[in-house]
């Protein structure tokens, strides 16, 4: 039997950190030989939210370097940039015509990306205070007062109650939803269709994704089945493979939160490009507790547990062994050792990165070769679809 076809999309996000590396990238690299893997840097998806062109361009190359340095082997896997293959956009258009507005409306990521929670909360406060809004509601009910039988006191109480109640909240929610929806781009709304095109172009069997992307793979399946039902077998219906989360690496500042680049504090994450000095500093400042006992206890000792976890994954040593080893150590010594392990872990990766920095043409060539290697399959799928739908001569 032919190898399973696996497609993964990589967002060309900014700097990657050890949370990305230990939590996800390591898994990508594993099992490279077993499947027919396609890794695609999804720059067309990136522009669904505002991007600085210069920074985006840099990030595409930077991401490619990072994945190659982490161990994606161009001999075993294909790595390419989405916009280098025009078939993605072209298929997305055709799929658009087999996708319903209602389906897209239900996608939650669109809602999350288009209305930032912080702004929402602020708006809600303002709207609640805003007299105009209350006035509008009042206007609707003022007519009732014309009726002589209305008890003014009761009426007043009921209006006030209503204003505080859910219905009013929902009106506010709806106003905010509307506001954000009309200020988000059509591209963001259409994001899942482009993603379906990515997947379906390559007759993908499996799509490894995080939980947040499962809904998008389901849409790709629905669209594939719908087209197949109409025109006969055009697409392979893909399966989502929900990635078992690798190590869940937490923030060094607030170890109850996942490590994230979007964090305000630079000390909360260790970037894959951080030098030894920076890594020592960040671990030295890592939040712990005042017990001075090195023991894994996620609830009571989230900081120390996170450090133990990082060391365990970085050195492939079970946590109990580490607890034993550090039974007589203080936090300062332990933190320094954790930093050493991470520095050691990142060393080969950083060496490769330095090589790629000097030889960006090599990285560009890998990407160009990748885009060429996948061309026949993408073109074949697109031809099949166009024929099925009745496009062209
Ligand atoms: N939406 C995915 C993410 O945010 C990235 C992506 C784009 C993707 N196209 C894909 C993932 C196709 C899997 C398959 O992570």
């Amino acid at each position: 039997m032919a190898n399973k076809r696996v497609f993964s999309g990589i967002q060309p996000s900014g700097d990657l950190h050890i949370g990305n590396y230990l939590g996800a990238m390591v898994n990508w690299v594993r099992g490279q030989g077993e499947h027919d893997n396609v890794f695609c840097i999804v720059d067309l998806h990136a522009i669904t939210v505002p991007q600085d062109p210069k920074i985006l361009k840099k990030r595409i190359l930077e991401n490619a370097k990072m994945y190659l340095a982490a161990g994606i082997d161009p001999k075993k896997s294909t790595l390419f940039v989405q916009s280098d293959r025009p078939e993605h956009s072209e298929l997305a258009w055709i799929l658009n015509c087999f996708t319903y507005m209602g389906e897209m409306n239900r996608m939650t990521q669109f809602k999350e990306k288009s209305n930032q929670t912080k702004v929402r909360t602020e708006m809600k406060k303002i709207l609640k205070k805003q007299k105009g809004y209350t006035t509008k509601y009042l206007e609707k009910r003022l007519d009732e007062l014309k009726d002589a039988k209305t008890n003014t006191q009761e009426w007043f109480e009921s209006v006030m109650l209503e204003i505080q109640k859910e219905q009013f909240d929902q009106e506010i929610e709806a106003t905010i939803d509307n506001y954000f929806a009309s200020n988000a781009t059509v591209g963001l709304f259409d994001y899942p269709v482009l993603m379906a095109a990515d997947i379906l172009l390559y007759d993908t069997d499996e799509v490894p994704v995080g939980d947040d992307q499962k809904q998008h793979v389901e849409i790709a399946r629905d669209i594939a089945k719908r087209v197949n039902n109409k025109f006969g077998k055009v697409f392979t219906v893909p399966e989502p493979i929900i990635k078992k989360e690798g190590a869940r690496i937490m923030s060094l500042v607030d170890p109850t939160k996942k490590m994230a680049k979007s964090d305000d504090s630079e000390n909360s994450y260790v970037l894959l490009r951080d030098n030894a000095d920076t890594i020592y500093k960040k671990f030295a400042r890592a939040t712990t507790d005042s017990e001075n006992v090195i023991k894994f206890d996620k609830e009571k000792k989230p900081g120390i547990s996170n450090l133990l976890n990082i060391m365990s994954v970085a050195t492939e040593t079970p946590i109990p062994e580490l607890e034993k080893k550090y039974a007589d150590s203080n936090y300062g010594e332990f933190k320094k050792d954790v930093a050493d392990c991470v520095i050691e872990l990142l060393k080969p990766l950083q060496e490769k990165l330095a090589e790629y920095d000097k030889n960006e043409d090599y990285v560009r060539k890998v990407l160009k070769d990748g885009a060429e290697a996948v061309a026949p399959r993408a073109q074949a799928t697109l031809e099949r679809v166009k024929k099925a739908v009745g496009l062209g001569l």
Side-chain angles (χ1 to χ4, degrees):
M1 212 184 84
N3 270 352
K4 279 224 163 91
R5 288 176 167 173
V6 180
F7 185 97
S8 304
I10 303 167
Q11 284 279 1
S13 48
D15 307 322
L16 297 171
H17 51 71
I18 57 168
N20 302 122
Y21 183 59
L22 298 171
M25 291 161 87
V26 173
N27 292 343
W28 296 50
V29 174
R30 274 184 218 141
Q32 257 189 122
E34 297 160 35
H35 302 303
D36 178 357
N37 280 299
V38 176
F39 294 103
C40 175
I41 300 180
V42 293
D43 56 347
L44 294 170
H45 278 107
I47 61 164
T48 57
V49 292
Q51 298 285 348
D52 177 317
K54 283 203 194 88
I55 295 175
L56 177 61
K57 225 180 227 327
K58 255 193 164 149
R59 281 182 178 170
I60 293 168
L61 199 64
E62 173 73 357
N63 257 253
K65 285 182 195 169
M66 293 267 178
Y67 277 83
L68 291 173
I72 285 190
D73 179 354
K75 287 197 207 81
K76 294 184 189 153
S77 310
T78 314
L79 179 67
F80 75 103
V81 181
Q82 190 183 29
S83 66
D84 275 347
R85 285 257 54 87
E87 293 82 9
H88 290 252
S89 310
E90 203 174 340
L91 180 59
W93 174 258
I94 298 174
L95 298 183
N96 272 333
C97 302
F98 297 93
T99 308
Y100 298 106
M101 296 285 287
E103 280 177 308
M104 290 297 101
N105 269 327
R106 287 194 294 274
M107 297 289 105
T108 48
Q109 188 180 340
F110 163 70
K111 286 186 191 152
E112 281 157 21
K113 279 205 182 175
S114 58
N115 39 315
Q116 304 98 329
T117 328
K118 255 191 206 162
V119 183
R120 253 189 107 85
T121 318
E122 279 314 301
M123 272 186 84
K124 217 186 251 178
K125 273 193 219 148
I126 295 166
L127 276 177
K128 276 196 170 170
K129 274 191 217 141
Q130 202 188 46
K131 257 214 199 116
Y133 204 88
T134 315
T135 316
K136 232 178 174 176
Y137 176 73
L138 279 174
E139 270 167 11
K140 272 204 290 194
R141 296 206 50 182
L142 277 170
D143 276 349
E144 291 172 31
L145 282 179
K146 289 186 195 138
D147 187 339
K149 279 184 235 148
T150 305
N151 176 322
T152 321
Q153 183 59 30
E154 273 173 21
W155 176 88
F156 180 69
E157 277 168 11
S158 121
V159 167
M160 288 320 283
L161 215 80
E162 207 62 55
I163 282 173
Q164 288 155 10
K165 254 181 27 196
E166 210 176 315
Q167 194 197 332
F168 191 68
D169 280 346
Q170 275 170 8
E171 273 181 51
I172 289 178
E173 291 282 342
T175 308
I176 298 174
D177 273 348
N178 256 334
Y179 172 79
F180 280 108
S182 50
N183 283 287
T185 68
V186 178
L188 184 62
F189 183 66
D190 203 30
Y191 182 110
V193 177
L194 179 60
M195 183 161 156
D198 297 342
I199 296 167
L200 300 180
L201 261 187
Y202 300 102
D203 305 320
T204 303
D205 298 303
E206 290 183 354
V207 190
V209 283
D211 211 27
D212 62 319
Q213 295 297 315
K214 189 170 175 226
Q215 205 182 27
H216 291 159
V217 183
E218 294 295 342
I219 276 286
R221 284 170 62 84
D222 290 346
I223 298 173
K225 286 191 215 157
R226 184 174 303 144
V227 171
N228 287 351
N229 277 336
K230 269 203 164 108
F231 305 109
K233 191 176 175 306
V234 177
F235 292 126
T236 301
V237 181
E239 293 288 337
I241 303 294
I242 304 308
K243 286 182 287 196
K244 272 190 233 87
E245 196 161 4
R248 194 173 153 82
I249 306 298
M250 313 303 274
S251 152
L252 299 184
V253 173
D254 177 358
T256 62
K257 286 196 314 201
K258 212 171 143 174
M259 187 177 281
K261 179 66 213 311
S262 53
D263 205 300
D264 289 336
S265 166
E266 278 183 19
N267 287 323
S268 70
Y269 46 78
V270 175
L271 298 176
L272 298 187
R273 280 192 187 269
D274 276 350
N275 62 27
D277 259 6
T278 311
I279 297 177
Y280 282 127
K281 264 190 215 133
K282 286 182 177 175
F283 278 107
R285 284 182 195 152
T287 305
T288 50
D289 51 67
S290 52
E291 261 186 9
N292 235 345
V293 182
I294 296 162
K295 225 182 85 202
F296 190 88
D297 183 338
K298 239 181 181 162
E299 296 294 308
K300 294 199 193 108
K301 300 167 73 66
I304 287 294
S305 302
N306 187 34
L307 296 182
L308 276 167
N309 192 30
I310 291 172
M311 191 185 236
S312 164
V313 187
T315 60
E316 294 181 275
T317 315
I319 288 175
E321 235 172 82
L322 298 176
E323 287 174 332
K324 238 185 258 159
K325 183 172 172 193
Y326 289 98
D328 298 322
S329 308
N330 64 38
Y331 285 179
E333 290 158 353
F334 175 56
K335 282 174 163 182
K336 189 183 162 292
D337 279 10
V338 179
D340 277 328
C341 293
V342 170
I343 292 165
E344 205 53 40
L345 172 80
L346 294 183
K347 206 183 233 161
L349 192 144
Q350 293 188 343
E351 278 167 10
K352 280 198 203 151
L353 277 177
E355 266 174 48
Y356 297 141
D357 285 344
K358 275 186 263 154
N359 195 357
E360 292 191 335
D361 282 347
Y362 166 77
V363 181
R364 285 202 185 86
K365 180 156 183 342
V366 168
L367 294 171
K368 290 290 171 200
D369 288 351
E372 250 173 60
V374 295
R377 206 187 294 166
Q379 284 159 3
T381 309
L382 191 61
E383 278 315 306
R384 212 162 60 231
V385 181
K386 285 167 92 170
K387 198 169 159 212
V389 175
L391 293 169
L393 282 177

